Short mmCIF file of all heavy atoms in Angstrom, two decimals:
data_model
loop_
_atom_site.label_atom_id
_atom_site.label_comp_id
_atom_site.label_asym_id
_atom_site.label_seq_id
_atom_site.Cartn_x
_atom_site.Cartn_y
_atom_site.Cartn_z
N VAL G 1 -7.86 -66.04 136.80
CA VAL G 1 -8.28 -64.64 136.89
C VAL G 1 -9.79 -64.53 136.64
O VAL G 1 -10.49 -63.77 137.31
CB VAL G 1 -7.49 -63.75 135.92
CG1 VAL G 1 -8.07 -62.35 135.85
CG2 VAL G 1 -6.02 -63.68 136.34
N SER G 2 -10.29 -65.29 135.68
CA SER G 2 -11.74 -65.28 135.42
C SER G 2 -12.53 -65.75 136.64
O SER G 2 -13.59 -65.20 136.96
CB SER G 2 -12.07 -66.16 134.21
OG SER G 2 -11.49 -65.63 133.03
N LEU G 3 -12.01 -66.78 137.33
CA LEU G 3 -12.66 -67.26 138.55
C LEU G 3 -12.62 -66.21 139.65
O LEU G 3 -13.58 -66.05 140.42
CB LEU G 3 -11.99 -68.54 139.04
CG LEU G 3 -12.23 -69.82 138.22
CD1 LEU G 3 -11.46 -70.98 138.84
CD2 LEU G 3 -13.72 -70.15 138.14
N ILE G 4 -11.50 -65.50 139.76
CA ILE G 4 -11.37 -64.44 140.76
C ILE G 4 -12.42 -63.35 140.53
O ILE G 4 -13.11 -62.91 141.46
CB ILE G 4 -9.95 -63.84 140.74
CG1 ILE G 4 -8.93 -64.85 141.27
CG2 ILE G 4 -9.88 -62.55 141.56
CD1 ILE G 4 -7.48 -64.47 141.01
N LYS G 5 -12.54 -62.91 139.30
CA LYS G 5 -13.49 -61.84 138.99
C LYS G 5 -14.93 -62.31 139.21
O LYS G 5 -15.78 -61.54 139.68
CB LYS G 5 -13.27 -61.36 137.56
CG LYS G 5 -11.95 -60.62 137.38
CD LYS G 5 -11.75 -60.10 135.96
CE LYS G 5 -10.46 -59.30 135.86
NZ LYS G 5 -10.22 -58.78 134.48
N LYS G 6 -15.21 -63.56 138.90
CA LYS G 6 -16.54 -64.11 139.14
C LYS G 6 -16.84 -64.15 140.63
O LYS G 6 -17.94 -63.78 141.07
CB LYS G 6 -16.65 -65.52 138.55
CG LYS G 6 -18.01 -66.19 138.74
CD LYS G 6 -18.04 -67.55 138.08
CE LYS G 6 -19.42 -68.20 138.22
NZ LYS G 6 -19.73 -68.52 139.65
N ALA G 7 -15.88 -64.61 141.44
CA ALA G 7 -16.08 -64.68 142.89
C ALA G 7 -16.30 -63.30 143.48
O ALA G 7 -17.11 -63.14 144.41
CB ALA G 7 -14.87 -65.36 143.54
N ARG G 8 -15.63 -62.31 142.95
CA ARG G 8 -15.81 -60.95 143.46
C ARG G 8 -17.21 -60.40 143.15
O ARG G 8 -17.73 -59.59 143.90
CB ARG G 8 -14.74 -60.03 142.88
CG ARG G 8 -13.40 -60.15 143.62
CD ARG G 8 -12.35 -59.25 143.01
NE ARG G 8 -11.20 -59.12 143.90
CZ ARG G 8 -10.03 -58.64 143.54
NH1 ARG G 8 -9.84 -58.25 142.28
NH2 ARG G 8 -9.05 -58.54 144.41
N ARG G 9 -17.78 -60.86 142.06
CA ARG G 9 -19.16 -60.43 141.75
C ARG G 9 -20.16 -61.07 142.70
O ARG G 9 -21.27 -60.55 142.88
CB ARG G 9 -19.49 -60.78 140.30
CG ARG G 9 -18.72 -59.95 139.26
CD ARG G 9 -19.29 -60.12 137.87
NE ARG G 9 -19.15 -61.48 137.36
CZ ARG G 9 -18.11 -61.91 136.63
NH1 ARG G 9 -17.11 -61.07 136.36
NH2 ARG G 9 -18.08 -63.14 136.18
N GLU G 10 -19.78 -62.18 143.30
CA GLU G 10 -20.69 -62.91 144.19
C GLU G 10 -20.75 -62.32 145.60
O GLU G 10 -21.75 -62.46 146.29
CB GLU G 10 -20.26 -64.37 144.28
CG GLU G 10 -20.35 -65.13 142.97
CD GLU G 10 -19.69 -66.50 143.06
OE1 GLU G 10 -19.24 -66.86 144.17
OE2 GLU G 10 -19.61 -67.20 142.03
N LYS G 11 -19.66 -61.71 146.04
CA LYS G 11 -19.57 -61.25 147.43
C LYS G 11 -19.13 -59.79 147.48
O LYS G 11 -18.28 -59.35 146.71
CB LYS G 11 -18.55 -62.10 148.21
CG LYS G 11 -18.90 -63.57 148.31
CD LYS G 11 -20.05 -63.81 149.28
CE LYS G 11 -20.33 -65.29 149.43
NZ LYS G 11 -21.42 -65.55 150.40
N ALA G 12 -19.68 -59.07 148.45
CA ALA G 12 -19.33 -57.66 148.61
C ALA G 12 -17.95 -57.49 149.22
O ALA G 12 -17.24 -56.53 148.92
CB ALA G 12 -20.36 -56.96 149.48
N ASN G 13 -17.56 -58.42 150.10
CA ASN G 13 -16.31 -58.30 150.84
C ASN G 13 -15.36 -59.43 150.47
O ASN G 13 -15.65 -60.60 150.73
CB ASN G 13 -16.58 -58.34 152.35
CG ASN G 13 -17.69 -57.38 152.76
OD1 ASN G 13 -17.67 -56.22 152.39
ND2 ASN G 13 -18.66 -57.90 153.50
N THR G 14 -14.23 -59.09 149.85
CA THR G 14 -13.30 -60.13 149.43
C THR G 14 -11.86 -59.73 149.76
O THR G 14 -11.52 -58.55 149.83
CB THR G 14 -13.40 -60.42 147.92
OG1 THR G 14 -13.05 -59.24 147.19
CG2 THR G 14 -14.81 -60.87 147.55
N LEU G 15 -11.04 -60.74 149.93
CA LEU G 15 -9.60 -60.59 150.08
C LEU G 15 -8.94 -61.59 149.14
O LEU G 15 -9.48 -62.68 148.92
CB LEU G 15 -9.17 -60.86 151.52
CG LEU G 15 -9.68 -59.89 152.59
CD1 LEU G 15 -9.54 -60.52 153.97
CD2 LEU G 15 -8.92 -58.57 152.53
N LEU G 16 -7.76 -61.24 148.62
CA LEU G 16 -7.10 -62.08 147.63
C LEU G 16 -5.62 -62.23 147.99
O LEU G 16 -4.92 -61.24 148.18
CB LEU G 16 -7.24 -61.46 146.23
CG LEU G 16 -6.59 -62.18 145.05
CD1 LEU G 16 -7.11 -63.60 144.90
CD2 LEU G 16 -6.82 -61.38 143.77
N PHE G 17 -5.16 -63.49 148.07
CA PHE G 17 -3.80 -63.78 148.49
C PHE G 17 -3.13 -64.76 147.52
O PHE G 17 -3.80 -65.55 146.87
CB PHE G 17 -3.78 -64.39 149.89
CG PHE G 17 -4.49 -63.56 150.93
CD1 PHE G 17 -5.73 -63.93 151.41
CD2 PHE G 17 -3.91 -62.40 151.41
CE1 PHE G 17 -6.39 -63.16 152.35
CE2 PHE G 17 -4.55 -61.62 152.36
CZ PHE G 17 -5.80 -62.00 152.84
N ASP G 18 -1.79 -64.71 147.50
CA ASP G 18 -1.02 -65.71 146.77
C ASP G 18 -0.06 -66.38 147.74
O ASP G 18 0.50 -65.73 148.63
CB ASP G 18 -0.24 -65.09 145.61
CG ASP G 18 0.51 -66.15 144.81
OD1 ASP G 18 -0.16 -66.89 144.06
OD2 ASP G 18 1.74 -66.26 144.96
N ASN G 19 0.18 -67.68 147.52
CA ASN G 19 0.97 -68.45 148.47
C ASN G 19 2.31 -68.93 147.91
O ASN G 19 2.86 -69.93 148.37
CB ASN G 19 0.17 -69.65 148.98
CG ASN G 19 0.24 -69.77 150.49
OD1 ASN G 19 1.29 -69.54 151.09
ND2 ASN G 19 -0.86 -70.15 151.10
N GLY G 20 2.84 -68.21 146.93
CA GLY G 20 4.21 -68.45 146.53
C GLY G 20 4.45 -69.43 145.41
O GLY G 20 3.53 -70.03 144.86
N ASP G 21 5.74 -69.61 145.08
CA ASP G 21 6.20 -70.32 143.88
C ASP G 21 5.58 -69.65 142.67
O ASP G 21 4.88 -70.27 141.86
CB ASP G 21 5.86 -71.81 143.94
CG ASP G 21 6.84 -72.58 144.82
OD1 ASP G 21 7.69 -71.94 145.48
OD2 ASP G 21 6.76 -73.82 144.85
N LEU G 22 5.90 -68.39 142.54
CA LEU G 22 5.27 -67.52 141.54
C LEU G 22 6.16 -67.26 140.34
O LEU G 22 5.72 -67.34 139.20
CB LEU G 22 4.91 -66.19 142.21
CG LEU G 22 4.20 -65.15 141.36
CD1 LEU G 22 2.75 -65.57 141.13
CD2 LEU G 22 4.24 -63.77 142.04
N ILE G 23 7.46 -66.94 140.58
CA ILE G 23 8.28 -66.36 139.52
C ILE G 23 9.16 -67.37 138.79
O ILE G 23 9.85 -67.00 137.85
CB ILE G 23 9.17 -65.23 140.09
CG1 ILE G 23 10.14 -65.77 141.16
CG2 ILE G 23 8.31 -64.11 140.64
CD1 ILE G 23 11.14 -64.73 141.66
N GLN G 24 9.12 -68.63 139.19
CA GLN G 24 9.96 -69.65 138.56
C GLN G 24 9.13 -70.88 138.25
O GLN G 24 8.15 -71.17 138.92
CB GLN G 24 11.11 -70.04 139.51
CG GLN G 24 12.12 -71.02 138.96
CD GLN G 24 11.70 -72.49 139.12
OE1 GLN G 24 10.76 -72.80 139.84
NE2 GLN G 24 12.40 -73.37 138.43
N GLY G 25 9.54 -71.63 137.20
CA GLY G 25 8.88 -72.90 136.97
C GLY G 25 8.41 -73.15 135.55
O GLY G 25 8.05 -74.26 135.21
N SER G 26 8.42 -72.11 134.71
CA SER G 26 8.02 -72.29 133.32
C SER G 26 9.03 -71.60 132.42
O SER G 26 9.90 -70.85 132.87
CB SER G 26 6.63 -71.69 133.08
OG SER G 26 6.69 -70.27 133.11
N ALA G 27 8.90 -71.83 131.12
CA ALA G 27 9.78 -71.17 130.16
C ALA G 27 9.62 -69.66 130.23
O ALA G 27 10.59 -68.92 130.02
CB ALA G 27 9.47 -71.67 128.74
N LEU G 28 8.43 -69.20 130.54
CA LEU G 28 8.21 -67.76 130.68
C LEU G 28 8.99 -67.20 131.86
O LEU G 28 9.63 -66.15 131.76
CB LEU G 28 6.71 -67.48 130.83
CG LEU G 28 6.28 -66.01 130.84
CD1 LEU G 28 4.90 -65.85 130.20
CD2 LEU G 28 6.24 -65.44 132.25
N GLY G 29 8.97 -67.92 132.98
CA GLY G 29 9.73 -67.49 134.15
C GLY G 29 11.22 -67.46 133.87
O GLY G 29 11.93 -66.53 134.28
N ASP G 30 11.72 -68.47 133.15
CA ASP G 30 13.14 -68.52 132.80
C ASP G 30 13.51 -67.38 131.87
O ASP G 30 14.58 -66.77 132.01
CB ASP G 30 13.47 -69.85 132.13
CG ASP G 30 13.42 -71.02 133.10
OD1 ASP G 30 13.53 -70.80 134.32
OD2 ASP G 30 13.25 -72.17 132.63
N PHE G 31 12.64 -67.08 130.92
CA PHE G 31 12.92 -66.00 129.96
C PHE G 31 13.07 -64.66 130.68
O PHE G 31 14.00 -63.89 130.40
CB PHE G 31 11.80 -65.91 128.92
CG PHE G 31 11.95 -64.73 127.99
CD1 PHE G 31 12.80 -64.81 126.90
CD2 PHE G 31 11.26 -63.55 128.22
CE1 PHE G 31 12.96 -63.72 126.05
CE2 PHE G 31 11.42 -62.46 127.38
CZ PHE G 31 12.27 -62.55 126.28
N ILE G 32 12.18 -64.39 131.61
CA ILE G 32 12.25 -63.11 132.33
C ILE G 32 13.51 -63.04 133.18
O ILE G 32 14.15 -61.99 133.28
CB ILE G 32 10.98 -62.92 133.19
CG1 ILE G 32 9.76 -62.77 132.27
CG2 ILE G 32 11.10 -61.69 134.09
CD1 ILE G 32 8.45 -62.80 132.98
N HIS G 33 13.89 -64.17 133.78
CA HIS G 33 15.13 -64.19 134.56
C HIS G 33 16.34 -63.89 133.69
O HIS G 33 17.28 -63.19 134.10
CB HIS G 33 15.30 -65.56 135.24
CG HIS G 33 16.61 -65.72 135.93
ND1 HIS G 33 17.54 -66.67 135.54
CD2 HIS G 33 17.18 -65.04 136.96
CE1 HIS G 33 18.61 -66.58 136.32
NE2 HIS G 33 18.42 -65.60 137.18
N GLU G 34 16.33 -64.39 132.47
CA GLU G 34 17.47 -64.19 131.56
C GLU G 34 17.44 -62.83 130.89
O GLU G 34 18.41 -62.44 130.23
CB GLU G 34 17.47 -65.31 130.51
CG GLU G 34 17.77 -66.68 131.11
CD GLU G 34 17.45 -67.82 130.17
OE1 GLU G 34 17.33 -67.56 128.95
OE2 GLU G 34 17.33 -68.96 130.65
N HIS G 35 16.34 -62.10 131.04
CA HIS G 35 16.21 -60.74 130.52
C HIS G 35 15.77 -59.84 131.67
O HIS G 35 14.59 -59.47 131.79
CB HIS G 35 15.20 -60.69 129.37
CG HIS G 35 15.60 -61.52 128.19
ND1 HIS G 35 15.46 -62.89 128.16
CD2 HIS G 35 16.18 -61.18 127.00
CE1 HIS G 35 15.90 -63.36 127.01
NE2 HIS G 35 16.35 -62.34 126.29
N PRO G 36 16.70 -59.49 132.56
CA PRO G 36 16.36 -58.86 133.84
C PRO G 36 15.66 -57.51 133.76
O PRO G 36 15.04 -57.08 134.73
CB PRO G 36 17.72 -58.73 134.54
CG PRO G 36 18.74 -58.84 133.45
CD PRO G 36 18.15 -59.73 132.41
N GLY G 37 15.72 -56.85 132.62
CA GLY G 37 15.01 -55.57 132.51
C GLY G 37 13.53 -55.73 132.26
O GLY G 37 12.78 -54.74 132.25
N GLN G 38 13.10 -56.96 132.06
CA GLN G 38 11.71 -57.25 131.71
C GLN G 38 10.84 -57.31 132.96
O GLN G 38 11.13 -58.06 133.89
CB GLN G 38 11.63 -58.59 130.98
CG GLN G 38 10.26 -59.02 130.57
CD GLN G 38 9.79 -58.29 129.32
OE1 GLN G 38 10.44 -58.30 128.28
NE2 GLN G 38 8.64 -57.65 129.44
#
């Protein structure tokens, strides 16, 4: 996120994308899955 904000300060025109494998893969992802209201 710090790199994203720095890059945005460098250029007037920016676009930001994510390419997936976002919600699974760590203990944090597992915790949210097991607590669906989160």
Side-chain angles (χ1 to χ4, degrees):
V1 171
S2 295
L3 288 179
I4 290 168
K5 291 181 177 180
K6 180 178 183 294
R8 280 179 166 165
R9 291 192 295 268
E10 296 170 4
K11 298 287 184 179
N13 310 310
T14 62
L15 295 162
L16 179 58
F17 305 106
D18 183 74
N19 227 321
D21 281 7
L22 182 73
I23 62 174
Q24 184 275 348
S26 72
L28 186 147
D30 290 338
F31 174 82
I32 294 171
H33 173 243
E34 293 166 18
H35 298 78
Q38 180 78 55

